[in-house]
């Protein structure tokens, strides 16, 4: 993100707007995936308007596991990116 500060102000604004849109899209995609996965896995009866206790518990556990997994993947990705940047910096320094 340091390179963004070197851009002209009008391009910085466009870049930040695009970045915000991408983040929103990613958040909505994650939410939709969570809903589809947990609903499909946990909800089997459509005889009432509300979930029964078993379905509710299943959805809560599914959502919790999905969010933890997503956070773990994000952390691993950040670690991998940092390692790649360090390798590139080390290679450039030689």
């Amino acid at each position: 993100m340091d390179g963004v500060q070197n851009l002209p102000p009008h391009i910085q604004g466009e870049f930040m707007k695009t970045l915000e849109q991408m983040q929103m899209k990613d958040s909505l995609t994650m939410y939709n995936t969570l809903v589809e996965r947990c609903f499909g896995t946990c909800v089997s009866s459509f005889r009432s308007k509300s979930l029964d206790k078993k379905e509710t518990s299943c959805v809560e556990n599914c959502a919790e596991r999905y969010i933890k997994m997503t956070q773990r993947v994000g952390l691993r990705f950040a670690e991998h990116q940092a390692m790649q940047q360090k390798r590139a910096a080390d290679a450039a320094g030689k």
Side-chain angles (χ1 to χ4, degrees):
M1 287 298 244
D2 294 333
V4 174
Q5 295 172 357
N6 297 332
L7 296 172
H10 70 283
I11 294 178
Q12 281 182 13
E14 290 176 24
F15 176 80
M16 295 307 290
K17 184 177 179 183
T18 302
L19 184 61
E20 287 174 17
Q21 289 173 344
M22 289 171 59
Q23 289 173 337
M24 178 62 77
K25 182 180 177 185
D26 288 344
S27 295
L28 290 173
T29 299
M30 185 182 97
Y31 175 78
N32 287 334
T33 303
L34 179 146
V35 169
E36 287 176 17
R37 176 175 289 175
C38 295
F39 183 86
T41 301
C42 298
V43 179
S44 57
S45 173
F46 296 96
R47 286 181 260 162
S48 91
K49 289 193 277 184
S50 59
L51 301 175
D52 63 24
K53 287 184 181 184
K54 183 179 176 185
E55 290 171 333
T56 300
S57 175
C58 180
V59 168
E60 288 172 356
N61 289 332
C62 178
E64 184 178 337
R65 286 192 318 267
Y66 184 83
I67 290 169
K68 284 181 181 179
M69 182 270 306
T70 302
Q71 289 172 339
R72 185 170 173 90
V73 168
L75 180 63
R76 292 292 182 197
F77 181 76
E79 290 172 356
H80 180 73
Q81 287 295 101
M83 187 173 25
Q84 293 288 34
Q85 288 177 348
K86 184 179 184 306
R87 286 181 185 162
D90 290 347
K94 288 184 177 183

